[in-house]
Amino acid sequence: NHSWLEEMLEFAPGVPDEMQKLVVDPQTSGGLALFVTPEQMTSLMKETPDAVEIGSVQEGPPRILVA
């Protein structure tokens, strides 16, 4: 996973090594993200109390910033 994401994955200063390893661990990278429109987010957060907003989609080249 790390080699596949290497060119678009960036970690902010201070992100611990163990968190960086967890992000690219193949045992934890499947089925963790659900992408919804901003309009759907409010409803989803009410219906799913354990849901957590982790980011947003922006225009531009592919990039994942973990902060």
Short mmCIF file of all heavy atoms in Angstrom, two decimals:
data_model
loop_
_atom_site.label_atom_id
_atom_site.label_comp_id
_atom_site.label_asym_id
_atom_site.label_seq_id
_atom_site.Cartn_x
_atom_site.Cartn_y
_atom_site.Cartn_z
N ASN A 1 0.82 -1.20 0.00
CA ASN A 1 0.00 0.00 0.00
C ASN A 1 0.86 1.26 0.00
O ASN A 1 0.55 2.21 -0.68
CB ASN A 1 -0.94 0.03 1.20
CG ASN A 1 -2.11 -0.90 1.02
OD1 ASN A 1 -2.43 -1.31 -0.08
ND2 ASN A 1 -2.76 -1.24 2.11
N HIS A 2 1.91 1.26 0.80
CA HIS A 2 2.75 2.45 0.88
C HIS A 2 3.38 2.78 -0.47
O HIS A 2 3.37 3.93 -0.90
CB HIS A 2 3.83 2.30 1.95
CG HIS A 2 4.61 3.55 2.15
ND1 HIS A 2 5.79 3.79 1.51
CD2 HIS A 2 4.35 4.64 2.89
CE1 HIS A 2 6.24 4.98 1.87
NE2 HIS A 2 5.38 5.51 2.70
N SER A 3 3.91 1.79 -1.16
CA SER A 3 4.55 2.06 -2.45
C SER A 3 3.54 2.55 -3.48
O SER A 3 3.86 3.38 -4.32
CB SER A 3 5.30 0.83 -2.96
OG SER A 3 4.42 -0.24 -3.16
N TRP A 4 2.30 2.07 -3.41
CA TRP A 4 1.27 2.51 -4.36
C TRP A 4 0.86 3.95 -4.08
O TRP A 4 0.60 4.72 -4.99
CB TRP A 4 0.06 1.57 -4.28
CG TRP A 4 -0.96 1.86 -5.34
CD1 TRP A 4 -0.91 1.47 -6.64
CD2 TRP A 4 -2.17 2.60 -5.17
NE1 TRP A 4 -2.02 1.93 -7.31
CE2 TRP A 4 -2.82 2.62 -6.43
CE3 TRP A 4 -2.77 3.24 -4.10
CZ2 TRP A 4 -4.02 3.27 -6.63
CZ3 TRP A 4 -3.98 3.87 -4.31
CH2 TRP A 4 -4.59 3.88 -5.56
N LEU A 5 0.80 4.34 -2.81
CA LEU A 5 0.37 5.68 -2.42
C LEU A 5 1.51 6.69 -2.30
O LEU A 5 1.28 7.87 -2.15
CB LEU A 5 -0.34 5.62 -1.06
CG LEU A 5 -1.68 4.91 -1.01
CD1 LEU A 5 -2.12 4.73 0.43
CD2 LEU A 5 -2.71 5.68 -1.80
N GLU A 6 2.73 6.21 -2.38
CA GLU A 6 3.92 7.01 -2.09
C GLU A 6 3.93 8.40 -2.72
O GLU A 6 4.25 9.39 -2.06
CB GLU A 6 5.13 6.21 -2.56
CG GLU A 6 6.43 6.69 -2.06
CD GLU A 6 7.52 5.67 -2.34
OE1 GLU A 6 7.49 4.99 -3.39
OE2 GLU A 6 8.39 5.54 -1.48
N GLU A 7 3.55 8.50 -4.00
CA GLU A 7 3.63 9.79 -4.69
C GLU A 7 2.54 10.77 -4.28
O GLU A 7 2.68 11.97 -4.50
CB GLU A 7 3.58 9.57 -6.20
CG GLU A 7 4.82 8.86 -6.72
CD GLU A 7 4.79 8.70 -8.22
OE1 GLU A 7 4.04 9.41 -8.91
OE2 GLU A 7 5.54 7.83 -8.71
N MET A 8 1.45 10.30 -3.67
CA MET A 8 0.37 11.21 -3.31
C MET A 8 0.09 11.28 -1.81
O MET A 8 -0.77 12.01 -1.37
CB MET A 8 -0.91 10.86 -4.07
CG MET A 8 -1.48 9.51 -3.79
SD MET A 8 -2.93 9.22 -4.83
CE MET A 8 -2.51 7.64 -5.51
N LEU A 9 0.85 10.53 -1.01
CA LEU A 9 0.62 10.49 0.43
C LEU A 9 1.63 11.39 1.14
O LEU A 9 2.82 11.29 0.91
CB LEU A 9 0.75 9.05 0.93
CG LEU A 9 0.51 8.81 2.41
CD1 LEU A 9 -0.91 9.20 2.81
CD2 LEU A 9 0.77 7.35 2.74
N GLU A 10 1.11 12.26 1.99
CA GLU A 10 1.97 13.19 2.75
C GLU A 10 1.53 13.19 4.20
O GLU A 10 0.34 13.21 4.50
CB GLU A 10 1.82 14.59 2.15
CG GLU A 10 2.60 15.65 2.86
CD GLU A 10 2.36 17.03 2.26
OE1 GLU A 10 1.76 17.14 1.17
OE2 GLU A 10 2.75 18.01 2.91
N PHE A 11 2.47 13.16 5.10
CA PHE A 11 2.18 13.23 6.53
C PHE A 11 2.62 14.59 7.05
O PHE A 11 3.74 15.03 6.78
CB PHE A 11 2.89 12.11 7.29
CG PHE A 11 2.36 10.74 6.96
CD1 PHE A 11 2.99 9.95 6.02
CD2 PHE A 11 1.22 10.27 7.57
CE1 PHE A 11 2.50 8.69 5.71
CE2 PHE A 11 0.71 9.02 7.26
CZ PHE A 11 1.36 8.22 6.32
N ALA A 12 1.75 15.23 7.80
CA ALA A 12 2.09 16.51 8.41
C ALA A 12 3.17 16.30 9.46
O ALA A 12 3.27 15.20 10.04
CB ALA A 12 0.85 17.14 9.04
N PRO A 13 3.97 17.33 9.72
CA PRO A 13 4.97 17.20 10.78
C PRO A 13 4.29 16.83 12.10
O PRO A 13 3.22 17.31 12.42
CB PRO A 13 5.57 18.61 10.87
CG PRO A 13 5.30 19.22 9.54
CD PRO A 13 4.00 18.63 9.08
N GLY A 14 4.91 15.92 12.82
CA GLY A 14 4.37 15.52 14.12
C GLY A 14 3.48 14.30 14.10
O GLY A 14 3.09 13.80 15.15
N VAL A 15 3.13 13.78 12.92
CA VAL A 15 2.34 12.55 12.86
C VAL A 15 3.27 11.41 13.27
O VAL A 15 4.28 11.17 12.61
CB VAL A 15 1.75 12.29 11.45
CG1 VAL A 15 1.06 10.95 11.39
CG2 VAL A 15 0.79 13.41 11.07
N PRO A 16 2.95 10.70 14.36
CA PRO A 16 3.84 9.65 14.86
C PRO A 16 4.05 8.51 13.85
O PRO A 16 3.17 8.21 13.03
CB PRO A 16 3.11 9.11 16.10
CG PRO A 16 2.04 10.08 16.40
CD PRO A 16 1.75 10.84 15.16
N ASP A 17 5.21 7.87 13.92
CA ASP A 17 5.54 6.76 13.02
C ASP A 17 4.50 5.66 13.06
O ASP A 17 4.13 5.11 12.03
CB ASP A 17 6.91 6.17 13.37
CG ASP A 17 8.05 7.08 12.98
OD1 ASP A 17 7.85 7.99 12.16
OD2 ASP A 17 9.17 6.87 13.50
N GLU A 18 3.99 5.34 14.27
CA GLU A 18 3.01 4.26 14.37
C GLU A 18 1.71 4.62 13.64
O GLU A 18 1.05 3.75 13.07
CB GLU A 18 2.73 3.86 15.82
CG GLU A 18 2.29 4.95 16.73
CD GLU A 18 3.42 5.73 17.41
OE1 GLU A 18 4.59 5.48 17.14
OE2 GLU A 18 3.08 6.61 18.21
N MET A 19 1.33 5.89 13.62
CA MET A 19 0.14 6.33 12.88
C MET A 19 0.40 6.23 11.38
O MET A 19 -0.46 5.80 10.62
CB MET A 19 -0.25 7.76 13.25
CG MET A 19 -1.43 8.29 12.47
SD MET A 19 -2.97 7.42 12.76
CE MET A 19 -3.41 8.09 14.33
N GLN A 20 1.59 6.61 10.95
CA GLN A 20 1.94 6.51 9.54
C GLN A 20 1.88 5.05 9.07
O GLN A 20 1.37 4.76 7.99
CB GLN A 20 3.33 7.09 9.28
CG GLN A 20 3.39 8.58 9.54
CD GLN A 20 4.75 9.17 9.23
OE1 GLN A 20 5.46 8.70 8.36
NE2 GLN A 20 5.11 10.22 9.95
N LYS A 21 2.38 4.14 9.89
CA LYS A 21 2.34 2.72 9.54
C LYS A 21 0.91 2.19 9.50
O LYS A 21 0.55 1.39 8.64
CB LYS A 21 3.17 1.91 10.54
CG LYS A 21 4.66 2.17 10.40
CD LYS A 21 5.44 1.44 11.48
CE LYS A 21 6.91 1.81 11.39
NZ LYS A 21 7.70 1.27 12.50
N LEU A 22 0.07 2.66 10.41
CA LEU A 22 -1.32 2.24 10.45
C LEU A 22 -2.08 2.67 9.20
O LEU A 22 -2.90 1.93 8.66
CB LEU A 22 -2.00 2.80 11.70
CG LEU A 22 -3.45 2.40 11.94
CD1 LEU A 22 -3.56 0.91 12.17
CD2 LEU A 22 -4.01 3.16 13.12
N VAL A 23 -1.79 3.87 8.72
CA VAL A 23 -2.48 4.40 7.54
C VAL A 23 -2.23 3.54 6.31
O VAL A 23 -3.12 3.36 5.48
CB VAL A 23 -2.05 5.87 7.28
CG1 VAL A 23 -2.50 6.36 5.92
CG2 VAL A 23 -2.60 6.78 8.36
N VAL A 24 -1.03 2.98 6.17
CA VAL A 24 -0.71 2.19 4.98
C VAL A 24 -0.73 0.68 5.22
O VAL A 24 -0.41 -0.09 4.33
CB VAL A 24 0.65 2.61 4.37
CG1 VAL A 24 0.59 4.03 3.87
CG2 VAL A 24 1.77 2.44 5.37
N ASP A 25 -1.12 0.25 6.40
CA ASP A 25 -1.18 -1.17 6.72
C ASP A 25 -2.33 -1.81 5.94
O ASP A 25 -3.48 -1.40 6.08
CB ASP A 25 -1.41 -1.36 8.22
CG ASP A 25 -1.40 -2.81 8.66
OD1 ASP A 25 -1.65 -3.70 7.83
OD2 ASP A 25 -1.14 -3.06 9.84
N PRO A 26 -2.06 -2.82 5.10
CA PRO A 26 -3.12 -3.42 4.30
C PRO A 26 -4.23 -4.07 5.14
O PRO A 26 -5.34 -4.25 4.68
CB PRO A 26 -2.41 -4.47 3.44
CG PRO A 26 -1.05 -4.62 3.99
CD PRO A 26 -0.77 -3.43 4.86
N GLN A 27 -3.94 -4.39 6.39
CA GLN A 27 -4.96 -5.00 7.25
C GLN A 27 -5.98 -3.98 7.73
O GLN A 27 -7.06 -4.35 8.19
CB GLN A 27 -4.29 -5.64 8.47
CG GLN A 27 -3.35 -6.76 8.09
CD GLN A 27 -2.65 -7.31 9.31
OE1 GLN A 27 -3.23 -8.11 10.04
NE2 GLN A 27 -1.43 -6.87 9.53
N THR A 28 -5.66 -2.70 7.63
CA THR A 28 -6.58 -1.67 8.13
C THR A 28 -7.07 -0.72 7.04
O THR A 28 -7.82 0.20 7.34
CB THR A 28 -5.90 -0.82 9.22
OG1 THR A 28 -4.76 -0.18 8.65
CG2 THR A 28 -5.51 -1.66 10.40
N SER A 29 -6.71 -0.93 5.80
CA SER A 29 -7.04 0.06 4.78
C SER A 29 -8.27 -0.29 3.94
O SER A 29 -8.61 0.45 3.03
CB SER A 29 -5.85 0.29 3.86
OG SER A 29 -5.51 -0.90 3.19
N GLY A 30 -8.94 -1.35 4.22
CA GLY A 30 -10.11 -1.70 3.44
C GLY A 30 -11.41 -1.37 4.15
O GLY A 30 -11.59 -1.68 5.31
N GLY A 31 -12.30 -0.70 3.46
CA GLY A 31 -13.63 -0.44 3.99
C GLY A 31 -13.70 0.59 5.10
O GLY A 31 -14.66 0.61 5.86
N LEU A 32 -12.72 1.46 5.20
CA LEU A 32 -12.73 2.44 6.28
C LEU A 32 -13.33 3.78 5.87
O LEU A 32 -13.72 4.55 6.72
CB LEU A 32 -11.30 2.68 6.80
CG LEU A 32 -10.61 1.48 7.43
CD1 LEU A 32 -9.19 1.87 7.84
CD2 LEU A 32 -11.38 0.99 8.64
N ALA A 33 -13.38 4.05 4.59
CA ALA A 33 -13.83 5.38 4.15
C ALA A 33 -15.16 5.29 3.39
O ALA A 33 -15.37 4.39 2.59
CB ALA A 33 -12.78 6.02 3.26
N LEU A 34 -16.01 6.24 3.65
CA LEU A 34 -17.28 6.39 2.96
C LEU A 34 -17.32 7.82 2.44
O LEU A 34 -17.14 8.77 3.22
CB LEU A 34 -18.45 6.15 3.92
CG LEU A 34 -19.85 6.34 3.39
CD1 LEU A 34 -20.15 5.29 2.32
CD2 LEU A 34 -20.85 6.23 4.51
N PHE A 35 -17.50 8.00 1.15
CA PHE A 35 -17.48 9.32 0.55
C PHE A 35 -18.90 9.79 0.29
O PHE A 35 -19.66 9.11 -0.39
CB PHE A 35 -16.67 9.30 -0.74
CG PHE A 35 -15.24 8.88 -0.51
CD1 PHE A 35 -14.88 7.55 -0.54
CD2 PHE A 35 -14.29 9.83 -0.21
CE1 PHE A 35 -13.57 7.17 -0.29
CE2 PHE A 35 -12.98 9.46 0.03
CZ PHE A 35 -12.61 8.12 -0.02
N VAL A 36 -19.25 10.95 0.82
CA VAL A 36 -20.59 11.51 0.65
C VAL A 36 -20.47 12.99 0.30
O VAL A 36 -19.45 13.62 0.56
CB VAL A 36 -21.46 11.35 1.92
CG1 VAL A 36 -21.67 9.88 2.25
CG2 VAL A 36 -20.85 12.06 3.11
N THR A 37 -21.55 13.53 -0.25
CA THR A 37 -21.58 14.96 -0.55
C THR A 37 -21.70 15.74 0.75
O THR A 37 -22.17 15.20 1.77
CB THR A 37 -22.77 15.31 -1.46
OG1 THR A 37 -23.98 15.04 -0.73
CG2 THR A 37 -22.75 14.51 -2.75
N PRO A 38 -21.32 17.01 0.74
CA PRO A 38 -21.48 17.82 1.96
C PRO A 38 -22.93 17.84 2.45
O PRO A 38 -23.19 17.84 3.65
CB PRO A 38 -21.03 19.22 1.52
CG PRO A 38 -20.08 18.98 0.40
CD PRO A 38 -20.62 17.75 -0.31
N GLU A 39 -23.88 17.80 1.51
CA GLU A 39 -25.29 17.80 1.89
C GLU A 39 -25.67 16.51 2.64
O GLU A 39 -26.53 16.54 3.53
CB GLU A 39 -26.19 17.96 0.65
CG GLU A 39 -26.02 19.27 -0.08
CD GLU A 39 -24.78 19.33 -0.97
OE1 GLU A 39 -24.28 18.28 -1.40
OE2 GLU A 39 -24.31 20.45 -1.22
N GLN A 40 -25.06 15.41 2.29
CA GLN A 40 -25.36 14.13 2.93
C GLN A 40 -24.66 13.99 4.29
O GLN A 40 -25.06 13.18 5.11
CB GLN A 40 -24.93 12.98 2.03
CG GLN A 40 -25.73 12.88 0.75
CD GLN A 40 -25.11 11.89 -0.22
OE1 GLN A 40 -23.91 11.90 -0.44
NE2 GLN A 40 -25.95 11.05 -0.81
N MET A 41 -23.62 14.79 4.52
CA MET A 41 -22.82 14.64 5.73
C MET A 41 -23.64 14.88 6.99
O MET A 41 -23.54 14.11 7.95
CB MET A 41 -21.62 15.60 5.70
CG MET A 41 -20.75 15.50 6.93
SD MET A 41 -20.10 13.85 7.22
CE MET A 41 -18.62 13.95 6.30
N THR A 42 -24.45 15.90 7.03
CA THR A 42 -25.25 16.21 8.22
C THR A 42 -26.15 15.05 8.59
O THR A 42 -26.19 14.62 9.74
CB THR A 42 -26.09 17.48 8.00
OG1 THR A 42 -25.21 18.55 7.65
CG2 THR A 42 -26.88 17.86 9.23
N SER A 43 -26.84 14.51 7.61
CA SER A 43 -27.74 13.38 7.84
C SER A 43 -26.96 12.15 8.30
O SER A 43 -27.35 11.47 9.25
CB SER A 43 -28.52 13.07 6.56
OG SER A 43 -29.29 11.92 6.72
N LEU A 44 -25.84 11.87 7.65
CA LEU A 44 -25.03 10.71 8.01
C LEU A 44 -24.53 10.81 9.45
O LEU A 44 -24.58 9.83 10.19
CB LEU A 44 -23.84 10.58 7.06
CG LEU A 44 -22.86 9.45 7.38
CD1 LEU A 44 -23.53 8.09 7.16
CD2 LEU A 44 -21.61 9.57 6.56
N MET A 45 -24.08 11.96 9.85
CA MET A 45 -23.55 12.14 11.20
C MET A 45 -24.65 11.94 12.25
O MET A 45 -24.38 11.43 13.33
CB MET A 45 -22.90 13.51 11.35
CG MET A 45 -21.69 13.72 10.44
SD MET A 45 -20.37 12.53 10.67
CE MET A 45 -19.50 13.28 12.01
N LYS A 46 -25.88 12.33 11.93
CA LYS A 46 -27.00 12.13 12.87
C LYS A 46 -27.38 10.65 12.96
O LYS A 46 -27.68 10.15 14.03
CB LYS A 46 -28.22 12.94 12.42
CG LYS A 46 -28.08 14.42 12.65
CD LYS A 46 -29.32 15.15 12.17
CE LYS A 46 -29.15 16.64 12.32
NZ LYS A 46 -30.29 17.37 11.74
N GLU A 47 -27.38 9.97 11.81
CA GLU A 47 -27.80 8.57 11.75
C GLU A 47 -26.73 7.59 12.22
O GLU A 47 -27.05 6.47 12.61
CB GLU A 47 -28.19 8.22 10.32
CG GLU A 47 -29.41 8.97 9.82
CD GLU A 47 -29.66 8.73 8.34
OE1 GLU A 47 -29.14 7.74 7.78
OE2 GLU A 47 -30.40 9.53 7.74
N THR A 48 -25.48 8.00 12.16
CA THR A 48 -24.37 7.11 12.50
C THR A 48 -23.49 7.79 13.54
O THR A 48 -22.53 8.47 13.20
CB THR A 48 -23.55 6.78 11.23
OG1 THR A 48 -24.44 6.43 10.18
CG2 THR A 48 -22.59 5.65 11.48
N PRO A 49 -23.80 7.63 14.83
CA PRO A 49 -23.08 8.36 15.87
C PRO A 49 -21.58 8.07 15.92
O PRO A 49 -20.81 8.90 16.39
CB PRO A 49 -23.75 7.94 17.16
CG PRO A 49 -24.75 6.91 16.82
CD PRO A 49 -24.84 6.79 15.35
N ASP A 50 -21.14 6.92 15.42
CA ASP A 50 -19.72 6.59 15.43
C ASP A 50 -18.96 7.12 14.22
O ASP A 50 -17.74 6.98 14.14
CB ASP A 50 -19.51 5.08 15.53
CG ASP A 50 -19.97 4.52 16.86
OD1 ASP A 50 -19.97 5.27 17.85
OD2 ASP A 50 -20.34 3.34 16.91
N ALA A 51 -19.67 7.73 13.27
CA ALA A 51 -19.02 8.26 12.07
C ALA A 51 -18.16 9.46 12.43
O ALA A 51 -18.47 10.23 13.32
CB ALA A 51 -20.07 8.67 11.04
N VAL A 52 -17.05 9.59 11.72
CA VAL A 52 -16.12 10.69 11.94
C VAL A 52 -15.73 11.27 10.59
O VAL A 52 -15.36 10.54 9.68
CB VAL A 52 -14.84 10.20 12.66
CG1 VAL A 52 -13.85 11.33 12.82
CG2 VAL A 52 -15.18 9.58 14.00
N GLU A 53 -15.82 12.57 10.47
CA GLU A 53 -15.38 13.23 9.24
C GLU A 53 -13.85 13.29 9.26
O GLU A 53 -13.25 13.80 10.21
CB GLU A 53 -15.95 14.64 9.14
CG GLU A 53 -15.58 15.33 7.86
CD GLU A 53 -16.23 16.70 7.73
OE1 GLU A 53 -17.00 17.11 8.61
OE2 GLU A 53 -15.94 17.37 6.73
N ILE A 54 -13.23 12.75 8.21
CA ILE A 54 -11.77 12.69 8.21
C ILE A 54 -11.13 13.53 7.12
O ILE A 54 -9.91 13.62 7.04
CB ILE A 54 -11.27 11.23 8.07
CG1 ILE A 54 -11.75 10.62 6.77
CG2 ILE A 54 -11.66 10.41 9.28
CD1 ILE A 54 -11.08 9.31 6.43
N GLY A 55 -11.90 14.15 6.26
CA GLY A 55 -11.29 14.93 5.20
C GLY A 55 -12.29 15.46 4.22
O GLY A 55 -13.50 15.41 4.44
N SER A 56 -11.77 15.98 3.13
CA SER A 56 -12.62 16.53 2.09
C SER A 56 -11.96 16.30 0.73
O SER A 56 -10.76 16.06 0.64
CB SER A 56 -12.83 18.03 2.31
OG SER A 56 -11.57 18.71 2.26
N VAL A 57 -12.77 16.38 -0.31
CA VAL A 57 -12.27 16.23 -1.67
C VAL A 57 -12.14 17.64 -2.25
O VAL A 57 -13.04 18.46 -2.14
CB VAL A 57 -13.25 15.39 -2.52
CG1 VAL A 57 -12.79 15.33 -3.96
CG2 VAL A 57 -13.39 14.00 -1.93
N GLN A 58 -10.97 17.89 -2.82
CA GLN A 58 -10.71 19.19 -3.42
C GLN A 58 -10.20 19.02 -4.83
O GLN A 58 -9.65 17.97 -5.18
CB GLN A 58 -9.68 19.95 -2.58
CG GLN A 58 -10.14 20.19 -1.17
CD GLN A 58 -9.09 20.87 -0.32
OE1 GLN A 58 -8.00 21.16 -0.78
NE2 GLN A 58 -9.42 21.13 0.92
N GLU A 59 -10.37 20.03 -5.65
CA GLU A 59 -9.90 19.99 -7.02
C GLU A 59 -8.37 20.02 -7.04
O GLU A 59 -7.74 20.68 -6.23
CB GLU A 59 -10.45 21.20 -7.78
CG GLU A 59 -10.21 21.16 -9.25
CD GLU A 59 -10.89 22.28 -10.00
OE1 GLU A 59 -11.98 22.71 -9.55
OE2 GLU A 59 -10.33 22.73 -10.99
N GLY A 60 -7.80 19.29 -7.97
CA GLY A 60 -6.36 19.29 -8.12
C GLY A 60 -5.81 17.89 -8.30
O GLY A 60 -6.57 16.93 -8.40
N PRO A 61 -4.48 17.76 -8.33
CA PRO A 61 -3.89 16.44 -8.49
C PRO A 61 -4.16 15.57 -7.27
O PRO A 61 -4.36 16.09 -6.17
CB PRO A 61 -2.40 16.73 -8.65
CG PRO A 61 -2.19 18.08 -8.06
CD PRO A 61 -3.49 18.81 -8.22
N PRO A 62 -4.14 14.25 -7.44
CA PRO A 62 -4.38 13.35 -6.31
C PRO A 62 -3.38 13.59 -5.19
O PRO A 62 -2.19 13.71 -5.42
CB PRO A 62 -4.19 11.96 -6.90
CG PRO A 62 -4.29 12.13 -8.36
CD PRO A 62 -3.86 13.52 -8.67
N ARG A 63 -3.90 13.69 -3.96
CA ARG A 63 -3.04 13.94 -2.80
C ARG A 63 -3.79 13.57 -1.53
O ARG A 63 -4.97 13.88 -1.40
CB ARG A 63 -2.65 15.40 -2.74
CG ARG A 63 -1.82 15.77 -1.55
CD ARG A 63 -1.36 17.23 -1.66
NE ARG A 63 -0.86 17.65 -0.38
CZ ARG A 63 -1.32 18.67 0.31
NH1 ARG A 63 -2.29 19.40 -0.17
NH2 ARG A 63 -0.82 18.98 1.47
N ILE A 64 -3.12 12.89 -0.64
CA ILE A 64 -3.69 12.56 0.65
C ILE A 64 -2.77 13.17 1.71
O ILE A 64 -1.59 12.85 1.76
CB ILE A 64 -3.79 11.03 0.87
CG1 ILE A 64 -4.67 10.40 -0.21
CG2 ILE A 64 -4.32 10.73 2.28
CD1 ILE A 64 -4.60 8.88 -0.24
N LEU A 65 -3.32 14.06 2.52
CA LEU A 65 -2.56 14.66 3.61
C LEU A 65 -3.08 14.12 4.92
O LEU A 65 -4.25 14.28 5.24
CB LEU A 65 -2.68 16.18 3.59
CG LEU A 65 -2.07 16.92 4.77
CD1 LEU A 65 -0.56 16.69 4.85
CD2 LEU A 65 -2.38 18.40 4.71
N VAL A 66 -2.23 13.47 5.69
CA VAL A 66 -2.60 12.95 7.00
C VAL A 66 -2.02 13.90 8.04
O VAL A 66 -0.82 14.11 8.09
CB VAL A 66 -2.05 11.52 7.21
CG1 VAL A 66 -2.41 11.02 8.61
CG2 VAL A 66 -2.58 10.59 6.14
N ALA A 67 -2.91 14.50 8.81
CA ALA A 67 -2.46 15.48 9.82
C ALA A 67 -2.85 15.07 11.21
O ALA A 67 -3.71 14.28 11.42
CB ALA A 67 -3.05 16.85 9.50
#
